[in-house]
Amino acid sequence: MADRRPSTLRTDAMAAVAPVIRDAVEADIAAIVALNAAEVRHTSPMDADRTRALAALSAYQRVAVLDGRVVAFLLAMRAGADYRNDNFGWFAARYPDFLYVDRIVVDAAAQGLRLGSALYADLFAFARLHGIPRVTCEFNVVPPNEPSRLFHARHGFVEAGSQWLDEGRKQVSMQVAELV
């Protein structure tokens, strides 16, 4: 079961400590589920079984650890994965090779420590190492997710299109960062 207690991170002390970015392991599942639950308004629900299922489909699932705690994670699928998702399908119909960021979540108490940027730098290095020419993602524009828009713009993402989801209740901006 996920630990839903408020975070007790000491961000002032951690600001000077570099995060450890490593592959996610089974022992990280509860922390990943709890992080996702805290930001579910911007992602989608994910319990432990769903986390394991997505990990099995992923090309990249890494966590950022500070002070011995998982405080961020990024999960990405490569083109060709057997992943049934409207956004992944949108990119698959348009690009022969890509990494799709299914979700990136940073603990609210660790915001401002550039953990998302560290994970993206690691993801981009992974993509280049494996000859993957682009990274894709989406973020909500209805309802708006302005922090995500600004974050992705800083990392070189540009809009390639948009689509409506959830029977017209949500619109997402389809984003691409070309790595070549």
Side-chain angles (χ1 to χ4, degrees):
M1 175 168 266
D3 181 359
R4 299 194 190 271
R5 293 174 290 172
S7 179
T8 57
L9 294 176
R10 296 179 324 273
T11 56
D12 55 334
M14 285 188 222
V17 177
V20 172
I21 296 177
R22 60 166 173 76
D23 289 337
V25 296
E26 178 67 25
D28 299 328
I29 297 284
I32 290 169
V33 169
L35 286 167
N36 191 79
E39 293 297 325
V40 75
R41 72 189 180 281
H42 297 301
T43 63
S44 60
M46 189 171 73
D47 63 11
D49 289 339
R50 179 73 173 150
T51 301
R52 287 181 191 96
L54 291 176
L57 296 173
S58 72
Y60 179 102
Q61 185 188 27
R62 304 204 77 195
V63 295
V65 178
L66 284 175
D67 198 24
R69 289 190 41 178
V70 173
V71 294
F73 74 95
L74 193 156
L75 177 70
M77 280 63 162
R78 187 168 186 175
D82 187 22
Y83 184 39
R84 288 169 178 68
N85 171 283
D86 290 338
N87 297 319
F88 182 83
W90 191 94
F91 291 113
R94 289 162 177 80
Y95 300 101
D97 200 8
F98 60 91
L99 269 178
Y100 168 71
V101 177
D102 183 72
R103 62 193 76 212
I104 178 172
V105 178
V106 177
D107 187 316
Q111 297 289 326
L113 299 180
R114 302 190 47 83
L115 299 175
S117 293
L119 282 166
Y120 263 32
D122 189 69
L123 177 70
F124 285 14
F126 173 90
R128 287 182 178 103
L129 179 68
H130 291 88
I132 303 168
R134 68 192 50 85
V135 175
T136 65
C137 70
E138 86 286 334
F139 54 78
N140 293 351
V141 291
V142 176
N145 185 345
E146 185 65 6
S148 186
R149 184 189 71 76
L150 294 170
F151 173 80
H152 286 93
R154 280 194 307 272
H155 290 88
F157 285 85
V158 296
E159 187 170 81
S162 66
Q163 67 177 351
W164 286 92
L165 302 169
D166 297 337
E167 298 175 354
R169 290 186 299 265
K170 178 168 80 169
Q171 184 183 30
V172 292
S173 174
M174 310 305 283
Q175 298 279 311
V176 176
E178 297 289 345
L179 302 180
V180 290

